[in-house]
């Protein structure tokens, strides 16, 4: 399944909702997907509306692209309503890359004070993963919901849509979307092939549903804003094409970059478990994985001290940037000290291990507590 594919030096860049590979050129993605960059001008407005300091993921431009985020800000400034929507394809444990758009969504929800719909796509993962049974993806859906709840979302303004459980609520909208998307469009956007199963071909219509579900549930026809990594964008292209024909607003998005894996290049992905940190990992797992992380460091400490490193190829530095160092001054200092060889890779790995483990200890405690509250997040069917 390929929506963007080209040679980028030697490395091929592939970004689809189901596969991300190669060296990612985000400027090129903006051009090829036809999204808008988060410009300095827009950021000025965001600062005014959301108040400073902005969340680190935003001010560091880890969220870097959007569709109609400016129109959402127009609504916010006029006191008009909108809602948030994001989701998860539950095929295994959640890793800390998945948490990036969710932590950001929580930040937006705190600022905007709007409801969130969160879609758990146990149906998607069943149709696309050859080796998975429906019972397994459904089980992961309830498990992964604990990670969302652990981040502090409240049941009063957060509803989790479990696709298989909640399909009766969604089916009419999915049908209306599906009828207006031709196979040739779907094939062009998603790269479907003769061997693609029928479930997968229909599936994108289901991911469109939460863009419009608030209107069905409450009678309020308002737009959604979707925070997610840019791999999910192809879904919104087809959804935006049909929204107005169905009498709804086009969904708006704000896109983030990919948290890299701990290996050399590539995004964090559950299919490479030794280079991904899962929210259920033990302190020992974290220590081992971070210790083995790719940093681009020199073969010897002596050499590293002499010539320094490059923080932008180092996966450990990226974790500080995305999640584990809030202070911009400290990021700048680390950048300098890495380049001059004042800090070496072992120092950074030790600090990162400690921070990740501190975060996970609390997160795992909250995950346990969430078990008693899960049903409060269910939609009434
Ligand atoms: P899934 O489970 O692949 O990913 C869940 C969310 O995590 C983002 N993501 C990442 N973000 C940063 N760094 C990474 N390394 C990384 N890997 C994944 C994804 O972009 C996504 O936001 N089909 C979807 C489920 C879904 C959904 C949605 C996602 C249904 N409705 C609405 C976003 C918005 C999926 O399989 O996501």
């Amino acid at each position: 399944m390929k929506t963007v594919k080209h040679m980028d030096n030697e490395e091929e860049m592939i970004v689809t909702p189901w596969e991300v590979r190669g060296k990612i050129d985000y400027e090129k993605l903006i051009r090829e997907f036809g999204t808008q960059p988060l410009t300095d001008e827009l950021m000025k407005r965001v600062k005014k509306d959301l108040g400073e300091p902005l969340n680190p993921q935003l001010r560091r431009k880890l969220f870097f692209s959007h569709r109609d985020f400016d129109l959402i800000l127009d609504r916010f400034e006029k006191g008009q309503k909108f809602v948030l929507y994001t989701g998860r394809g539950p095929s295994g444990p959640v890793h800390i890359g998945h948490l990036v758009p969710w932590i950001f969504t929580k930040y937006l929800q705190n600022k905007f004070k709007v409801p969130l719909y969160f879609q758990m796509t146990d149906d998607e993962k069943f149709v696309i993963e050859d080796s998975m049974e429906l019972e397994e993806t459904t089980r992961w859906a309830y498990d992964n919901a604990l990670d969302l709840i652990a981040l502090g979302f409240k049941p009063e303004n957060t509803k989790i849509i479990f696709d298989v459980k909640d399909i009766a609520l969604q089916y009419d909208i999915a049908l209306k979307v599906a009828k207006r998307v031709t196979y040739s469009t779907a094939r062009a956007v998603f790269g479907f092939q003769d061997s693609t199963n029928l479930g997968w071909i229909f599936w994108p219509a289901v991911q469109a549903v939460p863009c419009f579900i608030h209107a069905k549930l409450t009678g309020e026809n308002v737009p959604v804003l979707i925070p997610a990594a840019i791999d999910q964008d192809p879904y919104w292209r087809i959804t935006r094409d049909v929204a107005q024909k169905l009498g709804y607003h086009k969904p708006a998005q704000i896109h983030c970059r990919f948290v890299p894996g701990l290996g050399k290049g590539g995004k964090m992905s559950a299919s490479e478990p030794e280079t991904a940190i899962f929210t259920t990992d033990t302190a020992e797992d974290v220590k081992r994985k971070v210790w083995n992380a790719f940093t681009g460091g020199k073969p010897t400490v002596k050499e590293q001290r002499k010539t320094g490193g490059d923080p932008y190829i180092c996966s450990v530095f990226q974790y500080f940037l995305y999640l584990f160092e809030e202070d911009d001054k400290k990021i700048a200092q680390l950048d300098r000290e890495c380049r001059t060889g004042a800090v070496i890779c072992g120092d950074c790995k030790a600090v990162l291990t400690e921070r990740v483990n501190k975060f996970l200890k609390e997160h795992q405690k909250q995950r346990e507590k969430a078990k008693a509250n899960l049903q409060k997040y269910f939609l009434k069917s």
Side-chain angles (χ1 to χ4, degrees), residues 17-18 20 85-91 95-102 117-121 124-125 128 144 163 203 206-208 210 226-233 235-236 256-261 266-269 322:
W18 304 294
V20 175
Y85 162 38
T86 194
R88 159 77 178 141
S91 54
H95 61 59
I96 58 175
H98 298 129
L99 297 185
V100 166
W102 305 352
Y117 292 95
F118 190 98
Q119 187 179 38
M120 280 292 180
T121 61
E124 173 191 22
K125 288 297 160 178
I128 73 165
N144 291 180
D163 274 347
W203 153 253
V206 183
Q207 183 149 327
I226 308 170
I230 196 156
D231 59 332
Q232 299 296 309
D233 186 73
Y235 287 113
W236 321 127
C256 68
R257 299 168 197 260
F258 302 107
V259 177
K267 73 156 193 156
M268 184 170 283
S269 165
Y322 275 85

